[in-house]
Amino acid sequence: NAGVMQNPRHLVRRRGQEARLRCSPMKGHSHVYWYRQLPEEGLKFMVYLQKENIIDESGMPKERFSAEFPKEGPSILRIQQVVRGDSAAYFCASSPFPDRGSNQPQHFGDGTRLSIL
Amino acid sequence: GNSVTQMEGPVTLSEEAFLTINCTYTATGYPSLFWYVQYPGEGLQLLLKATKADDKGSNKGFEATYRKETTSFHLEKGSVQVSDSAVYFCALKAAGNKLTFGGGTRVLVKP
């Protein structure tokens, strides 16, 4: 199955530590999106990346959060100095070739559930 | 900005009952509309989509029609099964590629 792969599935960190979440898009997909889902809420857009470029980071918190999608390897969402409020499920999605008419669906991974102690 | 509003759950039904989940949206331009389903502990799966007014998306017995005049995309299924128990998300995508989601509606189907 060549779906969107996220790891780890579950991640536990203590306050002040760093969290790194990885996402490998579907084969042939060059666009990656990160979303955050707080408990009992819908998903909120964080950032949209192409290879080596951040296209839209309007949903990213201004501090402690960063994302990259290098030429080789998975996309990484990095959270520095985590706090309790960062506890959430983080989902990655990917889509193929450049959007034409907003009708290309995004395919989601199973998410990383981040718990902050 | 863009927004999606869907009915709050949980919605509890008996098997073979009729399901409707209301979804309305606010968007600039002409968005594409989607329904995603999330089973416990999993990611979102695309259920159906519609890209222009009056389009009907359908899959696995579920249907939704893009109604521009009422800015709605209500999800329906004529006869639900226990396996349809999940959280359903309505979403839109306008220019810029990012999805805007509703808050989700939890559906519980009892045998």
Side-chain angles (χ1 to χ4, degrees):
Chain A
N1 185 354
V4 179
M5 302 300 294
Q6 289 188 248
N7 67 82
R9 289 294 305 274
H10 301 275
L11 181 62
V12 179
R13 286 287 178 266
R14 296 188 180 281
R15 281 179 294 171
Q17 291 184 320
E18 178 180 287
R20 281 181 179 244
L21 288 61
R22 294 175 184 76
C23 169
S24 296
M26 282 182 71
K27 189 174 182 180
H29 286 192
S30 56
H31 296 226
V32 164
Y33 314 80
W34 286 94
Y35 295 84
R36 177 166 62 177
Q37 184 180 32
L38 295 171
E40 304 301 320
E41 293 188 12
L43 280 73
K44 297 288 193 293
F45 168 80
M46 299 182 74
V47 63
Y48 163 33
L49 310 103
Q50 294 177 13
K51 287 280 187 183
E52 300 183 283
N53 283 308
I54 296 175
I55 306 303
D56 180 353
E57 56 182 348
S58 58
M60 287 279 271
K62 292 291 185 281
E63 297 177 347
R64 302 187 298 109
F65 285 71
S66 62
E68 63 176 7
F69 189 17
K71 187 176 180 181
E72 301 292 336
S75 176
I76 306 288
L77 179 67
R78 182 181 177 208
I79 311 172
Q80 295 178 291
Q81 300 174 347
V82 296
V83 301
R84 288 253 171 86
D86 297 333
S87 295
Y90 292 82
F91 290 96
C92 172
S94 71
S95 68
F97 44 89
D99 180 60
R100 291 194 295 259
S102 294
N103 60 0
Q104 295 298 326
Q106 295 175 15
H107 299 265
F108 283 79
D110 285 343
T112 293
R113 280 143 185 88
L114 176 65
S115 298
I116 309 302
L117 302 179
Chain B
N2 300 330
S3 67
V4 176
T5 302
Q6 59 182 105
M7 59 190 290
E8 289 190 20
V11 175
T12 303
L13 303 163
S14 297
E15 235 178 350
E16 300 184 2
F18 186 89
L19 171 67
T20 299
I21 304 176
N22 290 340
C23 171
T24 57
Y25 67 90
T26 302
T28 53
Y30 302 94
S32 293
L33 301 174
F34 304 85
W35 277 100
Y36 282 86
V37 58
Q38 184 179 34
Y39 298 102
E42 298 184 10
L44 276 68
Q45 299 176 24
L46 178 66
L47 184 58
L48 52 84
K49 70 173 185 177
T51 58
K52 61 183 187 296
D54 299 324
D55 267 3
K56 177 187 282 188
S58 61
N59 185 27
K60 300 181 181 178
F62 290 90
E63 292 184 341
T65 301
Y66 190 143
R67 300 287 188 201
K68 194 170 188 303
E69 63 275 14
T70 55
T71 61
S72 65
F73 193 53
H74 305 321
L75 183 68
E76 297 180 337
K77 185 173 185 181
S79 177
V80 294
Q81 306 299 313
V82 172
S83 57
D84 293 324
S85 298
V87 181
Y88 293 82
F89 291 95
C90 185
L92 70 82
K93 186 152 70 82
N97 273 357
K98 61 186 178 186
L99 285 166
T100 300
F101 286 90
T105 302
R106 184 177 300 278
V107 173
L108 177 61
V109 180
K110 295 186 174 180

